[in-house]
Amino acid sequence: MSNEELFAQMAKAIVDGDPERAEALARQALELGVDPLEAINRGFTPGINRVGELFASGEYFLPDLVIGGEAMKAAVAVLEPELARRQEKRAILGKVVIGTVEGDIHEIGKTLVATMLSANGFQVRDVGVDVSAEDFVAAVQDMGANLLGLSALLTTTMLNQRKVIEALQKAGLRDRVKVMVGGAPVTRQWAEEIGADGYAEDAVGSVALAKQLVAQA
Amino acid sequence: MLRPKIELLERTAVERVIAEAYELLMDPGVRIHSDEALELLADAGAQIDKNERVAHIPAEVARRAVETAPSSFYLYDYAGNPVVHYGGDDVQFDPGSAAIEIVDYGQTRSRKPVTADAIKFLKLAEGLPQIDAVATSLVCADVPEAMQDLYRLYLVLLYASKPVITGAFAVETWAIMKDMLVAVAGSEKALAERPIAVFDACPSPPLLWSEITCQNLIDCARFGVPAELVSMPLAGATGPATLIGSVVQHTAECLSGVTIHQLAKPGSPIIWGGSPAAFDMRAGTTPMGAIETMMIDMAYAQVGKSIKPGGLPTHAYMGMSDAKVVDAQTGLESGIGTVLAALAGVNMVSGAGMLDFESCFSLEKLVIDAEIIGMAKRLVRGMDDSEEPLALAIMREVGHAGNFLKTRHTRQWFSKEQYIPSAVIDRDFRQTWEDKGAMDAVARAHQRVEEVVATYQPKPLPAEVVKELEAITLRAAQARGLDRLPSRG
């Protein structure tokens, strides 16, 4: 199989939403000595871009989008050690810490956003649910993140998004990191009120927003 | 897997309805303004009162006819696929028929439809997947009245690949319309073997048959073109005020129709249909959106399914609204009617797009109704319980992480489990809805009308068939004082 054929199959595995196949193709690429960066840029990334297009045009739905993202993640995880060994770096759009705020154990919204961001070229650290302001700050510092995503599903826990922003200020990190907020009760107005940098209504919107925020920085 | 279903009548009530209906055929009998039908009935053993033109039909004569009528048959699309199944509890939908008015988007006043409207309607109905058959829904005011029926069919045959529910307004035009169908099907034999059209035949309440409808019925039988009985008692006006009383009348009228039809040619396909209504005692109107109208419909469909083992194919005018513009009344009446028709297992439900007592059409309403139909069809598909175990495996796989969205199970099932509506149905976040222009359902429907019409693919009719259809229609037009057919744009 030529490299071109391999790349086409990689893209197809992502479009088909097949994490096992994507992983197997990534391994095959390593065995064949294909440059892992090329595998990502010319194989898997065109696939995830196609998934995004199909979603935007209404042919694909959220499950297709998410499983495409999972397939992307599985492939990149296989290729990453080789990238490191070759001292190559995947072009990263930004480093993101994401989680659900304290008192709130809703998982799915932020996981979806994390998957989408990771599939679209961001390096993502998902810090989970019920995360305290202090833990968010520590994670931002530790990762050197330039983006922070705060999720809240309840009107009561939404208030803790403001607390995290205040904690960032206190730690002197507010200027280094752009803050995105989201979740069912969250509105554009609320984002402005608490001094967040952006708000998106859904996972697809969050990718556009994240790209826009890192471009501003 | 259970198919959700509603039956309004107890079995004993159905039996009483049928028993009384057979008795009505004898006394007072059925008044029939057709010599041919009276002869057929006389030959079969009915007593004929020639002065009154009333046939007293013995129950066994009608019973024999019911026996020879088929319990099921198919309608075919232009490509020859069996796309509509009349029989059992299968539910299919076509637009309402014969609107003499159309109401445009943003208008409150209606107007007379013309050729361009009928063509746009057909392009739309072709592109809506929820709609199983088209109908001759618009009566074009730009041709003489004496050819409006055949002109509707002419346009349908040029533009629609789906089968069609139609009807003739006169004895002579039926023959012309049959010739059109033969032109498309290739031969009379092919037309009978793979029917592409159904003709309505409407008795007049109570227990009357005009010469036109009776002759249409006989002609349909002879040529094997499926006929759809449209019996329409108005409860409290031209039928008994009790709902079940009107069902008895409907049953008797349908039995008389089946009898005439089967005597003309046993085994020809015929449909137990109707358009009854509860009479509105304030306005003097015939509300198609009244719950009582729908109750009569559901009950007569149940009777049709019980009239013999295997039943007869059924039809009803349901899912319509009496509102004058597309508004909340439209949604609620059409929503209730469509869901009830589906639950009653009516084989062909006619009415999508129709307003104002079956007289006014709206393209926007048609696309909204298509969404209601999509949901109703989903409802009667029932809940799939074929997975074993039902949820144990997937629940254990996901555990407390809670994200089913990324599982293969979700990807495999969601599109089978969910009816996915078009953008007519708003399910956006408020911000997204505002960003898209903060449109209400009617505005979104208008947008979808234009989108679907724009995707229309021409019907692949051979040029000689088009020529023949044009020639048949032009001859009919010239005989009726119209030198040239209206431009089709």
Side-chain angles (χ1 to χ4, degrees):
Chain A
M1 181 162 46
S2 75
N3 281 5
E4 295 308 316
E5 280 166 343
L6 184 66
F7 295 153
Q9 287 201 18
M10 287 171 167
K12 187 171 181 300
I14 305 296
V15 175
D16 291 347
D18 193 338
E20 287 80 14
R21 176 105 185 102
E23 205 180 312
L25 286 165
R27 281 190 209 293
Q28 198 179 340
L30 292 181
E31 282 161 22
L32 294 171
V34 174
D35 180 357
L37 200 58
E38 278 227 313
I40 293 176
N41 292 341
R42 297 181 56 200
F44 296 113
T45 302
I48 199 71
N49 289 344
R50 180 75 191 127
V51 170
E53 286 164 19
L54 288 167
F55 183 79
S57 68
E59 281 165 76
Y60 265 25
F61 295 86
L62 285 175
D64 309 307
L65 201 60
V66 173
I67 207 158
E70 291 293 323
M72 184 80 189
K73 224 158 58 177
V76 171
V78 170
L79 297 172
E80 242 157 15
E82 179 62 15
L83 275 175
R85 202 186 61 78
R86 294 193 184 200
Q87 297 193 321
E88 283 181 342
K89 273 211 170 109
R90 182 186 170 201
I92 291 173
L93 292 177
K95 292 184 175 182
V96 191
V97 167
I98 190 168
T100 307
V101 296
E102 190 162 13
D104 197 324
I105 57 163
H106 289 94
E107 175 97 38
I108 195 156
K110 66 100 183 117
T111 307
L112 187 52
V113 172
T115 304
M116 290 309 299
L117 288 175
S118 141
N120 282 279
F122 288 85
Q123 191 180 337
V124 179
R125 184 185 295 184
D126 185 339
V127 289
V129 298
D130 192 14
V131 180
S132 68
E134 295 70 38
D135 288 348
F136 271 120
V137 170
V140 166
Q141 206 148 25
D142 179 52
M143 191 194 193
N146 57 349
L147 273 173
L148 173 61
L150 302 174
S151 172
L153 255 288
L154 307 170
T155 47
T156 48
T157 57
M158 179 173 92
L159 305 174
N160 290 334
Q161 291 179 331
R162 190 202 299 267
K163 277 193 191 165
V164 179
I165 293 176
E166 287 167 358
L168 282 172
Q169 271 159 353
K170 223 187 271 173
L173 293 172
R174 184 65 188 90
D175 297 338
R176 258 183 47 192
V177 63
K178 299 280 185 187
V179 180
M180 322 195 289
V181 291
V186 177
T187 61
R188 205 166 279 171
Q189 206 181 356
W190 169 251
E192 280 167 23
E193 192 185 320
I194 63 171
D197 298 296
Y199 151 84
E201 221 157 39
D202 51 42
V204 177
S206 74
V207 175
L209 174 66
K211 285 182 179 169
Q212 189 192 323
L213 289 177
V214 292
Q216 279 171 16
Chain B
M1 178 161 72
L2 183 73
R3 183 201 182 284
K5 196 173 168 177
I6 298 181
E7 291 189 332
L8 280 198
L9 301 176
E10 284 184 297
R11 180 192 285 268
T12 49
V14 172
E15 284 165 5
R16 286 167 67 200
V17 166
I18 293 173
E20 288 193 20
Y22 275 117
E23 286 196 42
L24 285 175
L25 296 183
M26 193 62 168
D27 175 17
V30 184
R31 178 166 287 164
I32 301 170
H33 294 276
S34 156
D35 293 335
E36 192 174 354
L38 288 172
E39 266 171 47
L40 286 170
L41 288 164
D43 290 348
Q47 302 162 346
I48 310 297
D49 179 337
K50 283 202 171 141
N51 292 330
E52 293 290 321
R53 307 186 69 83
V54 169
H56 301 281
I57 307 169
E60 59 269 24
V61 173
R63 279 213 177 85
R64 266 203 305 278
V66 167
E67 265 169 42
T68 59
S71 288
S72 71
F73 66 91
Y74 285 94
L75 284 187
Y76 294 80
D77 66 9
Y78 180 64
N81 306 304
V83 289
V84 169
H85 179 245
Y86 278 97
D89 289 329
D90 287 351
V91 181
Q92 291 127 132
F93 295 83
D94 76 309
S97 65
I100 50 170
E101 295 281 322
I102 185 167
V103 62
D104 293 316
Y105 174 63
Q107 302 295 314
T108 51
R109 283 175 189 279
S110 60
R111 63 177 173 83
K112 300 281 176 210
V114 291
T115 301
D117 298 310
I119 292 172
K120 188 172 182 185
F121 153 74
L122 288 166
K123 290 179 174 178
L124 177 61
E126 277 287 285
L128 293 173
Q130 302 91 337
I131 304 289
D132 301 285
V134 300
T136 39
S137 296
L138 295 173
V139 178
C140 296
D142 49 352
V143 298
E145 270 181 32
M147 63 173 291
Q148 282 173 337
D149 53 355
L150 65 94
Y151 187 68
R152 294 183 303 169
L153 184 62
Y154 162 67
L155 294 178
V156 163
L157 294 177
L158 286 180
Y159 290 92
S161 295
K162 294 180 182 180
V164 57
I165 316 299
T166 187
F169 301 163
V171 172
E172 315 78 59
T173 47
W174 189 93
I176 301 171
M177 292 168 81
K178 185 262 298 169
D179 288 345
M180 290 179 174
L181 295 173
V182 170
V184 173
S187 68
E188 281 178 3
K189 186 162 169 285
L191 181 63
E193 278 169 4
R194 287 172 179 256
I196 56 173
V198 166
F199 278 75
D200 285 342
C202 316
S204 311
L207 302 170
L208 300 167
W209 283 93
S210 72
E211 192 189 356
I212 297 171
T213 54
C214 213
Q215 195 59 49
N216 284 174
L217 193 59
I218 291 169
D219 290 340
C220 278
R222 296 240 158 96
F223 286 95
V225 173
E228 185 167 271
L229 295 165
V230 185
S231 159
M232 48 181 105
L234 299 175
T238 62
T242 52
L243 304 183
I244 201 164
S246 277
V247 177
V248 172
Q249 179 178 323
H250 176 279
T251 307
E253 289 179 357
C254 278
L255 283 175
S256 68
V258 171
T259 306
I260 296 166
H261 183 264
Q262 292 295 304
L263 287 175
K265 188 170 180 199
S268 262
I270 186 157
I271 301 153
W272 189 270
S275 185
F279 193 67
D280 187 278
M281 294 298 173
R282 273 183 307 208
T285 49
T286 58
M288 303 311 294
I291 193 72
E292 298 81 5
T293 297
M294 303 174 197
M295 290 168 74
I296 300 173
D297 287 323
M298 295 168 79
Y300 85 61
Q302 191 186 344
V303 171
K305 289 168 187 288
S306 314
I307 201 77
K308 69 173 196 171
L312 287 179
T314 54
H315 154 270
Y317 280 99
M318 292 177 81
M320 285 179 288
S321 172
D322 305 314
K324 307 303 177 279
V325 294
V326 184
D327 63 7
Q329 183 180 341
T330 327
L332 83 89
E333 289 177 338
S334 295
I336 293 171
T338 303
V339 166
L340 289 180
L343 287 171
V346 175
N347 297 147
M348 182 60 78
V349 185
S350 304
M354 202 63 99
L355 296 163
D356 194 4
F357 318 108
E358 244 172 305
S359 72
C360 182
F361 207 87
S362 158
L363 299 180
E364 285 72 30
K365 182 176 188 289
L366 183 63
V367 302
I368 294 172
D369 289 350
E371 297 301 335
I372 301 173
I373 289 166
M375 294 184 196
K377 283 181 172 174
R378 173 63 191 93
L379 171 66
V380 296
R381 253 200 309 128
M383 214 175 262
D384 192 325
D385 56 6
S386 63
E387 261 209 313
E388 178 59 43
L390 297 171
L392 273 181
I394 185 65
M395 292 286 303
R396 284 176 179 160
E397 179 192 323
V398 172
H400 295 119
N403 190 354
F404 290 83
L405 206 45
K406 69 177 182 187
T407 63
R408 209 166 247 152
H409 184 267
T410 297
R411 196 169 192 238
Q412 179 197 331
W413 278 98
F414 81 94
S415 60
K416 293 179 197 146
E417 287 289 85
Q418 299 190 7
Y419 165 68
I420 293 164
S422 78
V424 168
I425 302 299
D426 168 42
R427 291 178 180 172
D428 280 328
F429 288 107
R430 172 170 285 274
Q431 188 63 55
T432 313
W433 175 77
E434 284 178 11
D435 293 347
K436 285 182 183 170
M439 291 188 287
D440 68 9
V442 189
R444 294 192 300 272
H446 180 61
Q447 213 167 47
R448 177 142 170 87
V449 167
E450 300 304 326
E451 281 166 15
V452 173
V453 168
T455 63
Y456 173 77
Q457 296 296 320
K459 179 175 179 179
L461 270 183
E464 64 269 22
V465 174
V466 174
K467 243 187 214 164
E468 197 178 345
L469 286 173
E470 281 170 348
I472 293 170
T473 312
L474 184 62
R475 269 201 305 277
Q478 286 169 346
R480 288 159 180 79
L482 186 69
D483 291 340
R484 282 169 48 189
L485 296 177
S487 159
R488 294 191 275 114

